[in-house]
Amino acid sequence: MTKIQKGAMRDRFSKVILELAEKDARVYAVDGDLANSTKTDVVANQKPEKFLQMGIAEQNMLSVCSGLASTGLQPWAVTFAAFLSKRALDQIQVQIAQPRLDVKMVGAYSGLLTGLTGKTHQALEDIAIFRTLANMVVIAPADNVEVEKAMRAANDYDGPVYIRLARDEYPYLFAEDYDFKIGRAVTLKEGTDVSVIATGTQTSRTLEAAKQLADEGISVEVVHMPTIKPLDEAAILATAQKTNLVVTAEEHSILGGLGSAVAEVLGEQHPTKMLRIGVEDRNAESAPNEQLLEKYGLSVSCMVRKIKDFYNKA
C-alpha cells in the first residue's frame, strides 16, 4: 500500500512567512504570544527585526497592524483563529476592513482539531464572521501546497485577507505546480450523482468518502472551494446543474459558513436540494481528533452515511 504523504500546515506556513519577511520589505510577522504554536517563531529567531511581539492582547495587535498598513507596510497578524475572529473583531472591522488596509490575518488552530484545547480554543464560527465583513477575502486551504500558494497570492493582493489554518497533518492533495487563484474553485473528482462542495481540512475527508461511495455505486463529484469569499459562483452552479444534488462539507458550524454561502447562491440562482455537513448548532469539547470528528459528524464514515442517506432519499 502506498503511504499517503502528509504535512502540517503550520510547517509550510513558517517556511513561507520567513521567506516573505526576508524578501519583501513590507512584510512583518505580528504575533499574539503564540509563536511557538503557530511557528512564527522562525521569524523571531532568524529575522528578528521583522518580528513584532504583541503579547496576549489581540485587540491591540490588530490596531498595531492597522497602523503599520497605513504606512505602506504589510503586517501578517498570526494567532489562534478563535482569538483572531472574536476577540479582535471590532478592530478588524473598523480599522482594517472598512478602510481596506493591506493586513493579512492568519487564524491557526481552526476548527475542531486544536490539540485537546477544548471549546475555548476551537474556532467553528470564524468563516461566518469574516465573510460578513465588506472588503475581506476569506481562504481555507486544504493542504500544505495550497497554504503556500494562498500566502503568495495574499502577499500580491492589496487588501485584507483572512487565511484559516489547521493544527495537525493533512494529506497532500496538490502538486507543487498547482495554480491557485483567489476566488477560484477546483474540481478534484468528477461525478454524476451528487456534488460535494468542500473547503479547508474537510476536503481530504470528502475525497476519501467519495472513494468509499464509489464502491457502493454512488458517483460523487468533489469540488474544493478554497476561497469562501469571493465565492466561485460559476463553479457552484455548474456542479449543481450537473447532479441536481449538492452537499457542502466544512470543519466549521453549518451556520454562516460555506454551507450558508452555497445555499445563498443556489437559492437565488438555481434552487437545488442541499445537505450541509458541519458542526450543528452547538459548542464542541476537548477530546482526541477521531472522537471529535465522529461525535460531531465530520468523520469519513459519518460523511459516507450522510451522503448515502441524502442520495437515496432524493
Side-chain angles (χ1 to χ4, degrees):
M1 181 180 293
T2 303
K3 185 177 181 180
I4 298 174
Q5 184 182 10
K6 294 184 177 182
M9 292 183 181
R10 54 184 177 167
D11 291 338
R12 182 66 70 102
F13 167 77
S14 68
K15 167 185 170 290
V16 180
I17 193 64
L18 175 61
E19 181 183 328
L20 293 177
E22 289 176 336
K23 295 183 177 180
D24 189 333
R26 302 172 302 155
V27 171
Y28 282 74
V30 186
D31 173 56
D33 200 29
L34 286 168
N36 183 58
S37 297
T38 64
K39 304 301 183 182
T40 51
D41 56 358
V42 67
V43 182
N45 294 332
Q46 299 188 41
K47 194 73 174 174
E49 68 274 19
K50 286 296 201 76
F51 179 83
L52 301 177
Q53 174 57 262
M54 296 292 105
I56 306 175
E58 292 82 7
Q59 295 170 333
N60 179 62
M61 179 172 75
L62 273 297
S63 292
V64 168
C65 287
S66 172
L68 292 170
S70 70
T71 70
L73 300 176
Q74 187 186 86
W76 286 65
V78 189
T79 184
F80 287 1
F83 308 154
L84 183 62
S85 61
K86 287 172 278 192
R87 290 186 180 177
L89 179 58
D90 183 53
Q91 284 69 27
I92 292 170
Q93 163 70 339
V94 176
Q95 298 177 324
I96 294 171
Q98 286 183 359
R100 200 178 179 277
L101 292 180
D102 191 27
V103 178
K104 314 308 173 187
M105 290 154 280
V106 180
Y109 283 54
S110 67
L112 274 176
L113 312 184
T114 57
L116 299 174
T117 57
K119 61 187 175 184
T120 57
H121 287 51
Q122 291 161 334
L124 300 173
E125 315 85 3
D126 54 317
I127 292 174
I129 290 167
F130 276 102
R131 68 178 285 260
T132 64
L133 303 181
N135 299 321
M136 187 67 64
V137 170
V138 182
I139 303 174
D143 73 351
N144 271 10
V145 173
E146 198 165 50
V147 167
E148 176 165 349
K149 302 293 183 174
M151 290 178 69
R152 296 193 186 282
N155 178 237
D156 291 338
Y157 176 81
D158 184 16
V161 178
Y162 174 64
I163 302 176
R164 185 184 212 242
L165 301 184
R167 176 186 185 274
D168 296 316
E169 292 188 341
Y170 282 84
Y172 280 78
L173 303 183
F174 299 100
E176 294 293 340
D177 61 355
Y178 165 49
D179 183 23
F180 172 88
K181 284 187 170 55
I182 291 175
R184 187 177 69 182
V186 184
T187 299
L188 297 179
K189 181 184 176 299
E190 299 282 348
T192 56
D193 293 331
V194 58
S195 302
V196 182
I197 302 172
T199 193
T201 54
Q202 199 64 19
T203 296
S204 58
R205 290 187 280 271
T206 298
L207 283 169
E208 182 58 36
K211 291 177 185 176
Q212 294 187 24
L213 287 163
D215 293 338
E216 300 187 35
I218 300 175
S219 176
V220 177
E221 179 151 292
V222 178
V223 178
H224 173 53
M225 190 71 65
T227 312
I228 298 93
K229 187 181 181 183
L231 199 63
D232 190 341
E233 296 187 5
I236 294 169
L237 294 171
T239 195
Q241 290 163 1
K242 183 177 180 180
T243 67
N244 290 307
L245 290 174
V246 172
V247 177
T248 57
E250 57 196 310
E251 193 183 323
H252 183 275
S253 170
I254 62 169
L255 304 176
L258 175 69
S260 295
V262 171
E264 290 161 13
V265 173
L266 294 178
E268 292 177 351
Q269 301 184 52
H270 185 75
T272 307
K273 192 166 185 179
M274 267 193 71
L275 169 69
R276 293 170 297 157
I277 294 177
V279 178
E280 303 292 332
D281 185 18
R282 60 194 298 194
N283 291 312
E285 59 197 295
S286 183
N289 288 357
E290 293 308 315
Q291 292 181 27
L292 285 172
L293 291 173
E294 192 68 25
K295 179 167 183 176
Y296 296 100
L298 297 180
S299 68
V300 173
S301 61
C302 287
M303 291 193 69
V304 168
R305 184 181 69 253
K306 290 179 180 182
I307 295 169
K308 189 195 305 185
D309 290 346
F310 175 66
Y311 174 74
N312 288 335
K313 291 175 182 178

